[in-house]
Amino acid sequence: MAQRQVTVESEVGLHARPAATFVQTAARASLDVTVAKGGGEPVNAKSILAVLSLDVRQGDTVMIKAEGEGADELLDELALIASAP
């Protein structure tokens, strides 16, 4: 299993457009992908409602995990989205 810890830089956190882009990117992959805020319980990164329910704000840290072939590349892309200002 591959994972990335990312600090969210967007002023709106992982909400609205950044959340939609994050979820759409995760959904394109056939891998299981989860995201967790801080040390909390991971949720399905392909579910917009699950991602929004995390209430990730600017400066929060998230842990993104994926398993399978291409996991590192997918996590790199998701980390870039989550850390974009």
Side-chain angles (χ1 to χ4, degrees):
M1 175 165 299
Q3 61 185 23
R4 299 284 185 286
Q5 184 169 322
V6 180
T7 300
V8 176
E9 300 295 335
S10 171
E11 289 182 8
V12 296
L14 203 50
H15 296 278
R17 186 168 289 133
T21 303
F22 183 89
V23 168
Q24 289 167 357
T25 301
R28 285 197 319 257
S30 61
L31 309 173
D32 288 333
V33 187
T34 62
V35 60
K37 178 180 170 182
E41 286 295 311
V43 300
N44 183 351
K46 297 179 180 186
S47 166
I48 189 72
L49 292 177
V51 171
L52 291 175
S53 74
L54 292 174
D55 192 32
V56 177
R57 297 170 187 231
Q58 185 179 33
D60 288 345
T61 300
V62 294
M63 179 67 72
I64 312 165
K65 297 182 181 181
E67 188 168 3
E69 189 173 331
D72 284 319
E73 293 81 6
L74 175 62
L75 290 177
D76 288 346
E77 192 173 353
L78 291 173
L80 198 60
I81 294 166
S83 66

